[in-house]
Amino acid sequence: MSLTVHHDSEHDCVTLQLGERFDFSVHRDFHDACLGHRAARSYVIDLGEVASMDSSALGMLLLLREHAGADRAEIRIVNADSGLRGTLRVAGFDKLFVLH
């Protein structure tokens, strides 16, 4: 599986650690982990192992943001390498998500 999910029930935070590819191949797992039930208070998307990301990944992040409350959403994207951070900034995601 290219997606590992951890739910910290004490803080109601869901952490998703993605594998090498963040693309349509993880759509079902991503949906089941994030969108298939009540929104958590916060989310952490760990891109530390991700080498490539496509437009469907950006769409999944936008769907998560909507599900989590849009402007009220607490979503942090962490451990992205400089290339992925550049892609996220060009797409304007630095204005929608907290990038670490």
Side-chain angles (χ1 to χ4, degrees):
M1 184 167 161
S2 57
L3 174 68
T4 303
V5 180
H6 173 73
H7 182 239
D8 176 350
S9 56
E10 182 179 340
H11 297 102
D12 195 19
C13 178
V14 173
T15 299
L16 293 104
Q17 184 173 15
L18 290 127
E20 187 175 332
R21 295 174 48 196
F22 185 16
D23 58 20
F24 192 74
S25 68
V26 299
H27 178 264
R28 174 60 47 206
D29 293 332
F30 189 93
H31 180 276
D32 292 348
C34 297
L35 308 172
H37 45 80
R38 177 191 66 80
R41 195 185 109 241
S42 63
Y43 294 85
V44 175
I45 310 299
D46 187 342
L47 302 182
E49 296 180 22
V50 175
S52 65
M53 178 173 65
D54 69 5
S55 61
S56 66
L58 299 177
M60 286 182 262
L61 290 171
L62 290 174
L63 288 172
L64 172 59
R65 185 175 184 274
E66 278 300 308
H67 179 71
D71 289 340
R72 296 179 316 278
E74 292 183 40
I75 304 171
R76 292 181 295 136
I77 299 174
V78 301
N79 300 322
D81 68 22
S82 61
L84 294 176
R85 278 194 312 274
T87 298
L88 292 166
R89 284 190 180 108
V90 166
F93 279 48
D94 56 330
K95 294 170 181 58
L96 302 174
F97 302 91
V98 177
L99 301 181
H100 286 285

